[in-house]
Amino acid sequence: MIFLQPFILWGLPLVLLPIVIHLLNRLRYRSVDWGAMAFLRRATRQSTRHSRLRQWLLLGLRVLAILCLILALSRPLAGGWIGASVGGAPETVIVLLDRSASMAGSATAGGPSRLERASRLLVRAAGQTPGARWVLIDNVSSQAQALSSPAQLSEAPLTQGSDTAADLPGMLEIAAQYMQENRTGLTELWIASDLQLSNWRGSDERWSMLRARFGNLPQPPRIRLLALDSASPGNAAIRITDATTSWQDGYRYLNLGIRLQGEDLAGRQIPVRLSLNGSDTTLLLEPSGKQLTVQEMLPLGESRDGGWGFVSLPADTNERDNRAWFAYGAESVRETLILATDEQAAAHLQLAATPLKEDPLRRARGLQSSDLSSADLEGASLLIVQGVSLNAVEGEMIRQWLESGGAMLAFPGESDTGAVLNLVSWGDIEEATAAEGYAVRQPARAVGPLRPAASGEPLPLDELEVWRRCRIGMEGEVLAAFADEEVPLFMRRSYELGQIVAGATVPSEAWSTLGRGPVLVPLVQRLLAEGSKRQAKVAQGATGPGTADLYAGPWQALDRPGDGSDPRTHAGIYRAGEMTVAVNRPAAEDSWYTLDGAEARAYFGTLSARVFDDGGGGGQGLQSEVWRGFLMVMLLLLVGESMLTLPGTAQRRSGA
């Protein structure tokens, strides 16, 4: 047992106070013999025995009451997680351990990470749970593993971080399945997490199913949640937003988007190491807020070969988010296929897709609606459709092409037949009543194909004039929106390696000024560069099974040859067959939004769940304050003492 205010324990001798008072009271009386004493002694001998017993009980109750008061004031912590339980020791303890990238953070640079603290506290609590069967579920292996001893929780690789994200509902599903299959009896779930919101996936519909599933078990589990301190002062995270190549004046350039973010970056000058094909340079970034995005244009000369590199930050309170990787491919044919029903729109799109100078590797080709099913999509980088309705065969063909890395740009038509089957659709045409048309709101932070130029100059979206529009029917990310009601102007949806961007208006003078070029040309050229990665044999991915399952192995780490790194768990540059893949931690791991204990507890509904605070690594995270219990016992003791001091029934009658 640990006491938060141990100095109060110096008052323990006060428990003897009732005995001292009793002895002092006895000294006040003197024995005087007189004639009738012998008769009174014989008459009251039986009642004296009861009186002495009552006095001893009174002394005991008073001593214990003072003891409980002193212990309560010293704020004891008792029994760890098991001390908080009231239903007996568990037969099985299932540990759900979050080993995501954010768990590598620490309160101080060089200090123990959240994952290391969690492992230490778990082992300490396990020492108070003898005889239990131990099972581990972590987000890296995603399976239930029996442990021969809880001491394994403090051993590598469990104490080592990873570049992954966690899926708490998924881990709980594995725990529920294990409990059902193994009939685990009285079970406790010990969850160690930093409560990062993205890992808890609060809007996931699996939570309601999990509550019902656990509640329907013969013995629902008791849940103990260890909330690790989520603060990492001074931490900064870096990420690559895009890596594309372009040509200017006969020279090739790498356009690199770099995003820096953190809670307290303002006013700091942060050096960023940029390594490109083995050559290093240093960039000095000065954020003015919590986030900074810059575009760097790096010369590649006349080389048409591919390459790779990384950007990194100096050591801080989380090493896992200090490096981001990128790769670019060799120059290859970049063909754009255009299928449009509006002749003026088709002409504008043709010009936007055509390179400014003669380039044998870039070409744009117009299609007729009947040509699409026979078109060579495999050789295309970008497909642009406007006002075209696709049949089921064409829609499925395009979907597969998108999933393999193709890029698609879609616009509405004059009627509702301009729907790209199961990919995107549009509502009815809306006509602006004002002469100036629908105003477009300039995004505060444009991303993707609408990002600012390398100079930092944003695309002039707010200068567009739009007289006709259709509402976009597609789930995805809003890239730009109109000022009224924030109706999307452009939306983007990812399809594994590829993407589709849908517009709400048409690059035709009857619809808007989009066809005049300042927005359309960068949009088309950037999507073309993204789609060309299919032919260039490069890709960007995130750790986890998703990226690793897309390409046939074996996977080989190019940045760490021979160390056996796995793209499911560790970021880096990998070769998978003919593909070069830059694997980074999931974007959600850069989020600093976390739950508080009450919010995390609410996910479990009516299940027995307790939240314990790590306390910043002070070692008390698995302990439960029990001073309230001591106060309750003291009150019960005082009630018992008062009942013993009440006069008996006979005395009350005689007094009457």
Side-chain angles (χ1 to χ4, degrees), residues 413-414 427-438 466-471 484 504-505 509-512:
E414 290 292 339
D428 296 334
I429 297 176
E430 299 177 5
E431 302 275 356
T433 56
E436 61 272 16
Y438 296 105
V466 179
W467 305 287
R468 307 175 77 192
R469 71 183 184 187
C470 297
R471 305 211 177 200
D484 66 314
T505 191
E509 292 299 325
W511 286 71
S512 67

Side-chain angles (χ1 to χ4, degrees), residues 62 71 152 193 200 351 376 411 414 420 524 587 595 598 600:
R62 289 166 180 168
L71 292 177
Q152 290 181 261
S193 170
W200 279 69
L351 286 173
D376 181 19
F411 297 101
E414 290 292 339
V420 181
V524 171
L595 301 167

Side-chain angles (χ1 to χ4, degrees), residues 308-546:
W308 57 271
F310 63 86
V311 289
S312 64
L313 299 172
D316 56 20
T317 50
N318 191 342
E319 297 291 328
R320 287 288 174 182
D321 56 14
N322 284 352
R323 181 167 293 197
W325 304 87
F326 62 87
Y328 64 95
E331 282 290 287
S332 58
V333 175
R334 298 185 180 185
E335 183 176 43
T336 302
L337 303 180
I338 302 171
L339 181 58
T341 57
D342 186 304
E343 292 184 3
Q344 192 177 64
H348 288 315
L349 292 168
Q350 183 86 20
L351 286 173
T354 302
L356 299 179
K357 63 181 184 65
E358 186 64 28
D359 189 340
L361 295 180
R362 300 192 186 191
R363 55 178 179 261
R365 181 159 59 97
L367 298 175
Q368 300 296 321
S369 58
S370 59
D371 296 338
L372 185 58
S373 58
S374 60
D376 181 19
L377 279 181
E378 285 302 314
S381 300
L382 175 63
L383 172 64
I384 304 177
V385 296
Q386 181 270 318
V388 177
S389 180
L390 304 179
N391 59 42
V393 175
E394 294 167 337
E396 183 59 29
M397 179 179 66
I398 291 175
R399 182 189 296 277
Q400 294 178 5
W401 175 75
L402 287 171
E403 291 175 350
S404 69
M408 182 175 176
L409 181 59
F411 297 101
E414 290 292 339
S415 66
D416 57 1
T417 59
V420 181
L421 186 69
N422 293 331
L423 300 175
V424 60
S425 61
W426 290 269
D428 296 334
I429 297 176
E430 299 177 5
E431 302 275 356
T433 56
E436 61 272 16
Y438 296 105
V440 177
R441 179 168 51 85
Q442 185 73 28
R445 184 176 61 85
V447 296
L450 297 181
R451 64 185 180 273
S455 63
E457 189 71 19
L459 300 188
L461 288 160
D462 56 344
E463 297 178 9
L464 288 176
E465 298 178 32
V466 179
W467 305 287
R468 307 175 77 192
R469 71 183 184 187
C470 297
R471 305 211 177 200
I472 304 171
M474 181 178 74
E475 295 182 359
E477 175 188 13
V478 176
L479 300 177
F482 292 99
D484 66 314
E485 306 177 37
E486 295 189 355
V487 176
L489 171 61
F490 285 105
M491 293 185 67
R492 177 173 64 175
R493 180 177 178 181
S494 298
Y495 284 88
E496 293 188 1
L497 299 178
Q499 61 181 308
I500 178 173
V501 173
T505 191
V506 177
S508 170
E509 292 299 325
W511 286 71
S512 67
T513 59
L514 179 61
R516 297 179 185 177
V519 173
L520 184 64
V521 172
L523 172 64
V524 171
Q525 292 294 327
R526 290 167 178 178
L527 286 174
L528 180 59
E530 286 295 323
S532 66
K533 292 178 180 179
R534 297 176 63 253
Q535 290 83 11
K537 304 300 183 184
V538 295
Q540 305 284 338
T543 53

Side-chain angles (χ1 to χ4, degrees), residues 619-638:
Q620 299 161 359
L622 300 179
Q623 303 290 334
S624 176
E625 287 197 47
V626 293
W627 60 269
R628 295 179 181 85
F630 281 106
L631 285 182
M632 291 297 297
V633 173
M634 184 192 73
L635 291 175
L636 292 175
L637 292 171
L638 292 178

